[in-house]
Amino acid sequence: MPTLTLDNHHLFYADHRPEQPGPALLLLHGAGGSHLVWPGALRGLADTRVLALDLPGHGRSSPPGRRSIDQYAAVVEAFMTALGLEEVVVAGHSMGGAIALTMAVEPARALRGIILIGASARMPVGEPLLGGAITSLDQAADVIVDNGFAEAPSPDLRERMKAAVLATGATATFGDFLACNQFDARRRLASITVPALVIGGAQDRMIAPPFMKALADGLPRARLALLEGVGHYAMLERPDEVAKLVADFINTLRGR
C-alpha cells in the first residue's frame, strides 16, 4: 500500500485499480476512523479507480490530526494535487462528508462530484463524545458503536469499530469531534454547484434524517437516498446497495 509525503508527513492510502480512467473515487473516513472502514464492495468498485485515504493522525498516516474541517480539506486537496488526479469524486462518511462539502465550496478543477454518507451541513457533537474522547476514550468508543447501527452489530464488527477508535487515540479523536462540532456549512450550500449524492440511514441516531434531507434540499444539484433499516454506517450495513448507488452516480457523471 502506498504512502505520499506532504510537508514531511506521511499519508497512507489504498489504491485500487489505478489503471482505470477517471473519474476516480476518493474515500474519506469519519471521526476516529481509518480507510479500513470502507467495505470491499466500495473499495473494489468495478471499472473505477478507488483511493481510500487515512487522514492525518489516523490509521497508518503520520500525526498530528487536525482541529478543523478546513484544515482536513486542505490536506485532501494537496493529496489530490500531489497525485495528479485529474477527475475525482470525493465520498465522505460523517466527518469525511463535512470535508467533501468544504472542498466543494470552492472546488478544484478535478472535483467532479461529492457523495455524502451519514452527513449534514452542521454536525454538533454531544458531551459524551466531545468530553469523553479525553476523559474516557473507551466509553466514547462504546457510544459510537452503540449508536452507529440500526441493529446491534456482530461481535466481530463491534470489536473492529471500537478498536479503530482506540487506535486513533484520544488526541486525534478529540480533534475530530472538535472539528465536527465547529463545522457549519448551512450558509454555503447554495453556492455548491457540483453534483452531489446524499446517502443516509432512516434509523441514523447520530445524524438525524431530517438533517440529511435539509442537506440534500439545500444543495442545488443533489439527490437523497434514504435507506430504511439503516443507521449511521450505511456502507457497512448495506454495502452492496451503497456501492450500487455510488456506481450509478459515477456512471451518470461519465454520461452512461
Side-chain angles (χ1 to χ4, degrees), residues 115-230:
I115 300 170
L116 313 170
I117 304 172
S120 70
R122 184 170 176 268
M123 304 181 71
V125 178
E127 183 60 26
L129 291 180
L130 192 59
I134 296 298
T135 59
S136 177
L137 185 59
D138 188 83
Q139 291 182 17
D142 282 334
V143 171
I144 293 172
V145 178
D146 290 343
N147 292 279
F149 299 87
E151 298 182 2
S154 68
D156 176 68
L157 178 57
R158 179 185 178 84
E159 185 61 30
R160 285 191 286 118
M161 295 295 295
K162 185 172 180 178
V165 176
L166 297 179
T168 301
T171 300
T173 302
F174 171 75
D176 290 350
F177 291 148
L178 183 66
C180 289
N181 197 49
Q182 295 172 340
F183 175 71
D184 189 346
R186 289 174 294 180
R187 294 184 179 180
R188 298 187 288 177
L189 293 183
S191 69
I192 296 175
T193 58
V194 299
L197 171 64
V198 180
I199 301 174
Q203 280 68 50
D204 193 330
R205 287 176 284 174
M206 301 186 80
I207 301 291
F211 290 170
M212 289 181 273
K213 184 178 185 303
L215 171 61
D217 289 344
L219 292 167
R221 301 177 63 189
R223 81 174 188 90
L224 172 66
L226 197 61
L227 309 180
E228 290 294 333
V230 172

Side-chain angles (χ1 to χ4, degrees), residues 48-67:
T48 304
R49 182 181 185 182
V50 181
L51 302 102
L53 177 65
D54 278 343
L55 293 168
H58 300 72
R60 293 163 63 179
S61 289
S62 301
R66 302 297 190 263
R67 295 292 178 98

Side-chain angles (χ1 to χ4, degrees), residues 1 3 10-13 34-35 54-55 57-62:
M1 299 292 185
T3 59
H10 300 300
L11 288 177
F12 174 87
Y13 62 102
S34 78
H35 80 281
D54 278 343
L55 293 168
H58 300 72
R60 293 163 63 179
S61 289
S62 301

Side-chain angles (χ1 to χ4, degrees), residues 24 73 86:
E86 296 181 352

